[in-house]
Amino acid sequence: MLTPHPEKYPELANVKQINFYIKNVTMDSSGHVTNCSVTAKVYDDNFNEKKHQGIAEDMKQAIIAVHPWKIIYLNGEYVSYALENYIIPYKFDY
């Protein structure tokens, strides 16, 4: 699901790594993510960095689809136990 399919993202065909940055996570009481912000930074062979909104949106939908996340109740709201300000590195071996 998170591989850079050439038919969907041909510009990611030679990407060596994607880092997903997750912020502003909101949750409900049952551990479902209701919203979050995801930024994707893609890196080529020379580690040149570019942002990619399409793959970031795919990761956001994947995070929302996974449930339940571990939550805690803090200062009157439900928060993710380990998802806020999380970086997911994703490497490709071509």
Side-chain angles (χ1 to χ4, degrees), residues 19-26 33 35-40 56 59-60 62-63 69 80 82-89:
N19 287 348
F20 296 98
Y21 298 85
I22 304 163
K23 296 182 179 180
N24 305 319
V25 179
T26 57
V33 173
N35 200 5
C36 65
S37 298
V38 178
T39 303
M59 177 57 95
K60 177 181 176 179
I63 290 169
W69 292 93
S80 170
L83 194 57
E84 183 69 29
N85 295 320
Y86 194 70
I87 300 170
I88 302 172

Side-chain angles (χ1 to χ4, degrees), residues 9-94:
Y9 302 115
E11 68 278 12
L12 299 181
N14 295 319
V15 167
K16 295 298 181 186
Q17 181 171 334
I18 303 173
N19 287 348
F20 296 98
Y21 298 85
I22 304 163
K23 296 182 179 180
N24 305 319
V25 179
T26 57
M27 318 259 324
D28 65 16
S29 62
S30 62
H32 290 80
V33 173
T34 56
N35 200 5
C36 65
S37 298
V38 178
T39 303
K41 293 183 181 177
V42 298
Y43 301 89
D44 61 14
D45 286 336
N46 299 321
F47 283 95
N48 295 319
E49 174 185 292
K50 293 182 185 176
K51 289 186 177 179
H52 194 280
Q53 187 58 37
I55 200 95
E57 185 61 31
D58 285 352
M59 177 57 95
K60 177 181 176 179
Q61 296 307 316
I63 290 169
I64 289 172
V66 171
H67 55 80
W69 292 93
K70 194 173 223 181
I71 60 170
I72 57 176
Y73 191 70
L74 182 65
N75 296 329
E77 49 183 63
Y78 295 97
V79 293
S80 170
Y81 182 72
L83 194 57
E84 183 69 29
N85 295 320
Y86 194 70
I87 300 170
I88 302 172
Y90 198 85
K91 293 184 180 186
F92 300 95
D93 297 325
Y94 300 121

